[in-house]
Amino acid sequence: MTEIFWLIPFVPALSAFILAVFGKILPKKYVSFQACFAVFISFTISVVSLLGLLRISHENYPIVKTLFSWIHSGSFESNLSLQLDPLSAVMALVVSGVGFLIHVYSVGYMAEDKGYTRYFTYLNLFTFAMLLLVMGSNIVLMFIGWEGVGLCSYLLIGFWYEKHSAANAGKKAFIVNRIGDAGFLLGIFFIFVLIGSGEFTAINKAISGGVITQGAATLIAILLFVGAIGKSAQIPLYVWLPDAMEGPTPVSALIHAATMVTAGVYMVSRMNMLYTFSGVAAQIVAIVGALTAVYAATMALTQNDIKRVLAYSTISQIGFMFIGCGVGAYAAGMFHLYTHAFFKSLLFLAAGSVMHALSGELDMRKMGGLKKYLPLTYPTFLIGAIAIAGVPFFSGFFSKDAILTQAYANGQYFIWALGIMGAVLTAFYMFRLIFLTFHGQERIEPEAKKHLHESPPMMTIPLVILAFFSVVAGYIGLPVVLGKNLNWFGRFLEPVIRVSHEAHLEIGTEWLLILISVAVALVGIYIAYVFYIRNPQIPHALVARFPFIYKLLYNKYYVDEIYNAAFVNSTVKGSEIIYDHFDLKVVDGAVNGTGSATNFSGKILSYLQTGLLKDYALVFLLGAILFLGYLLFF
Amino acid sequence: MIPLSYFLILSIILFVLGTIAFFIKKDLITMFMAVEIMLNAANLAFITFARSANSLDGQVIVFFIITVAAAEAVVGLAIILLIFRQKKTIKSEDLTLMKG
């Protein structure tokens, strides 16, 4: 059964195609069924493929299925070929599994929307592109998927395109991603120039065979990472992700939390040999990740929009994943990606459920005390928050701890310290969110309160399933202190991620690090409790005391304004100048000049057209005489 | 036997007369007749050469020309008639619709 793994991306593609062509005439019930079922088939095949993969010996990895030779031009060659190895199997499982639950949730969430079929077409198309991204066996196919998810992201952020802000957010996401993708594309070009093939196996062989120098590897790795910075919303290209929350909430959960934005982490893990070989590039990845983890978390502290807090939290968590990759613990980074997919999509879906209950209210200042009204949403939200905060025995704890331990073990103490700081902030802002939304006094608008209700089962069942996985997903990758063989996840990925030097710590140090992680999470939660439950005036006092810092954080460090002033406005101004002077004068001048020159010469020549029959006959006669003369005398 | 050149000279005289008439006459019917004269001048030249070369090709072409001229006369006269109905004139100088 494993051989049919190449069908995984193409089932949703077929479904998207059918919906796009026949969507108008298909009944709504059938659309929901087909869209969900297509992803469910992908999920089933992913499970079967993963089980099949476990039975095959490591030497046979990866299984490559070449469908056909796609581009063949001179020495450039690129196939349409998919591959199955532990890394792509895990990703396919996460994408199709979480994707399926979010499809089901969307059936409830989008039920009243007039763009229902269009929504599911895009969502299926996205699933296809994302699965292609993670299963392509060469970097060109990865790029196709990479651009495909970018396109779907644009379409879905701007899904409610009549809303000005949504249309703008879509454009912003698309343009900011283009900046990163330009770097990614350059990286691909360098790979083809220096290595001659885009197949991942060939790239790995070239690196271990010493075909490229360390400098070249660093150049390629950094260029590829520029693409990852754009797609995974890291400093300095993160600005599009908070605005992307204009899209429907399930989209935020699927694309802007669980799958697409983590594509950068997947890419770095896929190219792990390149980054390890380069060294410098890996260090840059770790630094960017660590800075983003803290920086984004600080911005999450003051936001009042429930989805924006989660957006900044996503940026911060992806930073954690990059820390893992950057310090050489690719498996830990992937592990965090995997657990994060569950609890972050859970948080988004639960936030969507809260919005649904409050007739679309996003502002936490108009919530509070919702605990008793939402008996299913509240516990699931709480589980998600506990998981992301890093409380022991929940999935987020294991993955975050794995990353931080590895950072420490590899001697990256500065990065480890930043990570710890990020972890405190994470626990704090997540529980600030919980307390403001579900506890304390009610601040609900009377109008919204009338319609207050728990969401339908179509929405709550996915929440419960995701909550279950948010708890247990971590148990496949237990810390090394509990036993070497319990880190099943890490061992499973080993054939893909060749660990060059495994850093070992003494048992005592490891336990100490775990204790610090636990303490950090609990401290964060406790501060949030003191601030928002026991002494609600403390935050106000702090704001009054440090108005500058509060304003800076509240306005997101004014980065949007700085970018506007530095890049956007200058581009717009420059374009206007070019329009006024070059387009209007040179280009339009040339075009209009051609027109008036033709007009003028036509007017001159028109004097020859006298309209008199005799004149024409005379010209005819002269022509005949000249022609005869030519024949006679020459 | 009349020499060949006599026929050819007659043909040239007819042709030149036709041409001159075409240019100096004003009404369309006369111009049309001038054209017919030119055609017949050409016919005469064809017959002359056909006789001297002892070949039938030239005579065949003459038949063609006579046929075409007949058809042309029909169409041409019809056009002139219609022009007269519309403009009440058949003077060529008065017809300058195509002036640029």
Side-chain angles (χ1 to χ4, degrees):
Chain A
M1 278 294 274
T2 315
E3 312 84 65
I4 59 161
F5 75 87
W6 58 273
L7 279 173
I8 296 173
F10 294 109
V11 180
L14 180 71
S15 168
F17 179 77
I18 294 173
L19 290 181
V21 177
F22 303 108
K24 284 235 163 71
I25 53 170
L26 292 173
K28 210 166 164 183
K29 277 215 167 105
Y30 176 76
V31 170
S32 339
F33 171 74
Q34 185 195 302
C36 298
F37 191 62
V39 183
F40 185 70
I41 293 178
S42 287
F43 176 65
T44 317
I45 304 176
S46 303
V47 173
V48 171
S49 306
L50 183 83
L51 294 177
L53 203 59
L54 289 173
R55 286 198 300 271
I56 300 170
S57 78
H58 289 185
E59 289 78 48
N60 297 331
Y61 293 165
I63 310 168
V64 177
K65 167 88 181 173
T66 306
L67 296 177
F68 54 86
S69 175
W70 179 38
I71 304 175
H72 193 108
S73 159
S75 62
F76 178 85
E77 215 186 320
S78 185
N79 292 332
L80 189 71
S81 54
L82 301 176
Q83 71 172 11
L84 185 70
D85 66 357
L87 191 58
S88 58
V90 166
M91 285 301 288
L93 207 61
V94 169
V95 172
S96 57
V98 175
F100 171 65
L101 291 174
I102 290 170
H103 272 73
V104 172
Y105 177 92
S106 302
V107 171
Y109 189 85
M110 300 296 285
E112 309 297 322
D113 201 277
K114 62 178 158 55
Y116 192 76
T117 312
R118 186 164 59 95
Y119 175 82
F120 277 102
T121 313
Y122 291 162
L123 217 55
N124 270 183
L125 188 67
F126 168 79
T127 314
F128 158 67
M130 190 68 206
L131 287 167
L132 191 68
L133 193 165
V134 299
M135 298 191 71
S137 82
N138 57 52
I139 195 145
V140 179
L141 270 191
M142 189 199 239
F143 187 69
I144 303 291
W146 189 274
E147 293 298 316
V149 292
L151 169 71
C152 294
S153 157
Y154 161 75
L155 290 171
L156 285 164
I157 294 170
F159 183 74
W160 290 310
Y161 52 83
E162 294 104 335
K163 221 166 87 188
H164 199 59
S165 57
N168 275 345
K171 275 187 276 179
K172 186 172 176 183
F174 202 70
I175 292 167
V176 173
N177 265 302
R178 289 287 78 63
I179 300 168
D181 291 349
F184 195 83
L185 204 53
L186 278 178
I188 296 178
F189 292 159
F190 272 110
I191 286 177
F192 273 100
V193 169
L194 296 173
I195 297 175
S197 168
E199 291 290 325
F200 294 127
T201 42
I203 294 171
N204 283 348
K205 207 175 281 170
I207 295 164
S208 51
V211 175
I212 56 171
T213 61
Q214 207 164 6
T218 306
L219 178 69
I220 294 173
I222 289 175
L223 284 172
L224 292 179
F225 185 57
V226 170
I229 285 177
K231 185 73 53 195
S232 296
Q234 299 294 293
I235 294 174
L237 295 180
Y238 65 89
V239 287
W240 65 271
L241 190 59
D243 287 14
M245 298 303 131
E246 290 287 346
T249 308
V251 168
S252 309
L254 179 61
I255 302 184
H256 306 117
T259 56
M260 184 191 85
V261 286
T262 56
V265 181
Y266 165 76
M267 190 276 295
V268 173
S269 301
R270 174 59 76 198
M271 307 299 266
N272 64 79
M273 283 193 70
L274 187 72
Y275 283 89
T276 310
F277 179 62
S278 155
V280 181
Q283 192 59 50
I284 290 173
V285 171
I287 292 169
V288 170
L291 289 177
T292 311
V294 177
Y295 175 76
T298 55
M299 286 187 285
L301 297 178
T302 53
Q303 298 301 312
N304 288 322
D305 179 324
I306 187 166
K307 278 179 80 182
R308 275 182 190 257
V309 174
L310 292 176
Y312 283 111
S313 151
T314 305
I315 299 173
S316 164
Q317 294 303 310
I318 297 169
F320 274 103
M321 297 174 206
F322 277 123
I323 295 178
C325 293
V327 299
Y330 299 96
M334 284 302 295
F335 189 37
H336 196 52
L337 188 164
Y338 153 83
T339 54
H340 176 258
F342 292 115
F343 56 69
K344 187 50 71 61
S345 52
L346 167 65
L347 287 168
F348 266 112
L349 295 186
S353 179
V354 171
M355 278 169 65
H356 192 80
L358 292 176
S359 322
E361 185 57 65
L362 278 167
D363 195 332
M364 290 192 288
R365 285 168 299 190
K366 293 177 186 160
M367 296 180 185
L370 286 173
K371 196 165 80 171
K372 55 183 176 292
Y373 300 110
L374 304 172
L376 260 174
T377 306
Y378 171 67
T380 48
F381 205 123
L382 188 64
I383 288 173
I386 293 174
I388 196 176
V391 173
F393 312 114
F394 287 77
S395 63
F397 165 74
F398 297 112
S399 53
K400 202 181 286 183
D401 183 61
I403 288 172
L404 293 177
T405 308
Q406 285 293 321
Y408 188 87
N410 284 297
Q412 308 264 21
Y413 302 119
F414 175 63
I415 294 206
W416 175 80
L418 282 177
I420 290 291
M421 220 165 106
V424 183
L425 295 173
T426 305
F428 175 76
Y429 67 67
M430 275 323 297
F431 276 83
R432 169 177 176 267
L433 185 66
I434 288 276
F435 293 142
L436 281 179
T437 311
F438 293 103
H439 295 260
Q441 73 205 94
E442 282 178 30
R443 299 178 298 274
I444 310 161
E445 306 252 311
E447 190 53 39
K449 185 151 184 194
K450 271 187 241 158
H451 308 288
L452 196 55
H453 61 283
E454 178 61 293
S455 304
M458 212 60 178
M459 289 165 69
T460 46
I461 292 170
L463 287 182
V464 174
I465 298 174
L466 282 170
F468 172 73
F469 280 108
S470 298
V471 179
V472 302
Y475 286 92
I476 59 167
L478 296 178
V480 186
V481 276
L482 298 174
K484 181 84 184 78
N485 293 329
L486 288 177
N487 189 0
W488 180 86
F489 190 85
R491 278 188 302 122
F492 180 59
L493 286 183
E494 250 165 41
V496 189
I497 293 157
R498 295 164 194 82
V499 185
S500 48
H501 55 94
E502 191 141 352
H504 283 292
L505 289 170
E506 286 182 33
I507 290 288
T509 324
E510 286 232 6
W511 276 114
L512 188 67
L513 288 175
I514 289 176
L515 274 179
I516 293 174
S517 294
V518 177
V520 151
L522 296 178
V523 165
I525 294 170
Y526 180 71
I527 299 175
Y529 173 72
V530 172
F531 272 31
Y532 293 97
I533 296 289
R534 226 169 53 190
N535 272 324
Q537 65 273 30
I538 293 186
H540 299 292
L542 276 179
V543 170
R545 185 83 190 276
F546 305 104
F548 175 72
I549 296 178
Y550 176 76
K551 269 193 120 155
L552 192 66
L553 292 179
Y554 186 73
N555 290 304
K556 301 158 261 172
Y557 296 95
Y558 296 97
V559 167
D560 275 332
E561 283 78 4
I562 293 170
Y563 281 3
N564 270 341
F567 302 112
V568 180
N569 285 349
S570 55
T571 311
V572 172
K573 285 255 165 60
S575 307
E576 266 167 11
I577 291 171
I578 291 173
Y579 173 73
D580 282 345
H581 294 276
F582 185 74
D583 269 55
L584 282 187
K585 286 180 187 157
V586 180
V587 176
D588 287 10
V591 173
N592 292 341
T594 316
S596 49
T598 314
N599 227 342
F600 179 71
S601 53
K603 208 161 252 165
I604 298 291
L605 286 173
S606 80
Y607 289 117
L608 293 176
Q609 304 288 114
T610 55
L612 285 172
L613 188 59
K614 294 264 169 70
D615 292 358
Y616 299 146
L618 195 64
V619 173
F620 188 87
L621 182 70
L622 283 176
I625 289 169
L626 279 177
F627 186 66
L628 273 178
Y630 177 79
L631 280 183
L632 284 175
F633 299 108
F634 297 101
Chain B
M1 177 97 177
I2 306 165
L4 193 66
S5 54
Y6 284 23
F7 292 97
L8 292 180
I9 288 167
L10 177 62
S11 167
I12 290 170
I13 290 171
L14 278 175
F15 190 84
V16 172
L17 279 176
T19 314
I20 292 169
F22 184 85
F23 280 104
I24 62 173
K25 285 295 174 183
K26 286 183 177 169
D27 71 301
L28 287 173
I29 304 241
T30 324
M31 285 164 75
F32 200 66
M33 283 159 72
V35 172
E36 294 295 322
I37 289 175
M38 284 194 277
L39 282 172
N40 282 312
N43 278 349
L44 184 57
F46 268 116
I47 295 283
T48 311
F49 284 117
R51 263 305 272 260
S52 72
N54 216 359
S55 118
L56 277 179
D57 292 0
Q59 308 203 7
V60 172
I61 289 192
V62 169
F63 279 116
F64 268 117
I65 294 178
I66 289 171
T67 322
V68 170
E72 183 211 326
V74 171
V75 177
L77 282 174
I79 292 175
I80 290 169
L81 200 65
L82 284 173
I83 288 174
F84 182 73
R85 277 192 194 161
Q86 292 231 323
K87 308 264 176 190
K88 301 289 170 215
T89 172
I90 48 167
K91 295 224 178 305
S92 71
E93 304 96 278
D94 297 340
L95 306 169
T96 54
L97 261 181
M98 298 290 281
K99 186 171 162 45

